[in-house]
Amino acid sequence: MESSSSKKKGLLERLEDGVVIGDGSYVVNLEKRGYVTAGMWTPEAVLKYPEAVLQLHRDYLRAGADILTTFTFYSNDERFKVLEGQTNGTPGMDGHIHARDLNLKACDLARQVASEGDALVAGGFSPVRPFSEDKSKEHIQAEFKKQADVFQEKKVDCLLGEFFGTVEEAEWAIEVMKTLDIPVVCSMRVPPSGDEDGILPQECAVRMARAGADVVGVNCMYDPTITLKTLALMKRGLEEAGLKAYLMAQPVGYHTTEVENDPRGYVALPEFPFAMEPRLLTRMDVHTFTRKAYELGVKYIGGCCGYEPYHIRASAEELAAERGCRPPGADNHEGFKALERSSFKEQWERANPEYWANLVPAAGRKIKFLATD
């Protein structure tokens, strides 16, 4: 499991050549499948159900992802301490969850699947709980360094910091990530109105780039439309500052129009987390988003919470001509034309892009959902 991807093109080479397709949601998709606990959103599945994590990595690879992120979201000792007594834990020498063990295993799982194709492995960083408790910079960076040490040991290809609510914590993470001397990607859960401290997206992008991030952008909490508004501001900020950094976008896979100016993002919606399905993006929504992101100049395009492998496939297919390739799963995906072979005549008229581009999907609901629990 220790082998690196030295013979493959690196992240920066790929970005220089064109658009990179990222992967999608892990915590939310694995919760739907019964392997992650809602509310805690921590990655014990890496140790308890590794086959489930492997399969999701493999699904993203088949959908066209160039990057597989280690399932290490919230995988730090501080976070697991909070969960003591709230979870059954993961079997180990003392029956507790140890972040180092989980991070090591997560790297192995991502590398195993990445080696089956042409994907790179990104070591995933996320916020640490002490930041919200006003712990020192040294304390927080020590938590980041624990993960960085594992990623260095496992020779990941690049690093991906995500879900940061303040640019200050993002900067602190970037400083640690830069010590590994491999490409650094960093994104924030930030709307057009700014981060949790009121710092505008323009400044957030500039500060992340100056801290050393090669790729900066937005992930999670907001839908594609809102995410693109934020990215347009980030792009302007970088241009005005004379800085060069690639842009990345990984929005949630839901429509979240109502929360554009809410710093809590989609978690503020009444449907979160158990009734979000009616808000899911369609494949055509993702095609549209991907095209607009490409036109804006975004070079790293993936998804976050709610993004299924078929959403990633939509991005890969949308840019197949520009990238000069289709996803590995293209052998079973003929696009609209496949409907011409349907045994239902009604489907024949839908075997064209115009039908789907003009469709306004219905929710199909006439009565309230009656909760039984």
Side-chain angles (χ1 to χ4, degrees), residues 185-314:
V185 182
C186 196
S187 57
M188 298 178 62
R189 58 178 198 266
V190 56
S193 57
D195 76 357
E196 292 175 2
D197 291 332
I199 306 300
L200 294 177
Q202 299 92 308
E203 185 175 347
C204 289
V206 167
R207 288 174 59 171
M208 286 191 288
R210 284 179 173 160
D214 301 292
V215 185
V216 302
V218 182
N219 86 293
C220 206
M221 292 305 191
Y222 305 95
D223 67 22
T225 299
I226 299 169
T227 295
L228 289 175
K229 289 181 181 180
T230 305
L231 280 168
L233 295 172
M234 286 189 165
K235 180 180 181 180
R236 183 196 309 170
L238 292 170
E239 290 174 346
E240 291 177 350
L243 296 172
K244 292 184 178 180
Y246 294 107
L247 291 173
M248 66 105 59
Q250 291 192 291
V252 295
Y254 308 104
H255 293 282
T256 67
T257 306
E258 305 96 310
V259 297
E260 178 172 336
N261 297 310
D262 192 323
R264 297 171 297 172
Y266 85 113
V267 300
L269 293 170
E271 296 91 348
F272 180 82
F274 298 127
M276 292 295 294
E277 286 78 8
R279 290 178 174 268
L280 270 173
L281 302 179
T282 68
R283 304 172 204 206
M284 296 312 301
D285 290 329
V286 176
H287 276 277
T288 300
F289 155 67
T290 302
R291 180 56 56 183
K292 289 182 177 180
Y294 178 78
E295 292 171 351
L296 183 62
V298 179
K299 299 294 290 288
Y300 188 131
I301 301 174
C304 202
C305 297
Y307 249 74
E308 296 275 358
Y310 68 84
H311 291 119
I312 297 302
R313 185 177 71 183

Side-chain angles (χ1 to χ4, degrees), residues 64-83:
D66 299 306
I67 309 291
L68 296 180
T69 308
T70 58
F71 185 29
T72 49
F73 184 77
Y74 279 163
S75 181
N76 60 75
D77 288 325
E78 292 284 351
R79 179 72 175 180
F80 290 137
K81 285 178 184 177
V82 174
L83 300 179

Side-chain angles (χ1 to χ4, degrees), residues 8 36 39 45 89 125 142 151 182 190 211 239 276 278 349 363 367 373:
K8 300 177 180 179
V36 166
F125 289 82
F151 295 146
I182 56 178
V190 56
E239 290 174 346
M276 292 295 294
E349 299 172 353
I367 60 174
D373 185 3

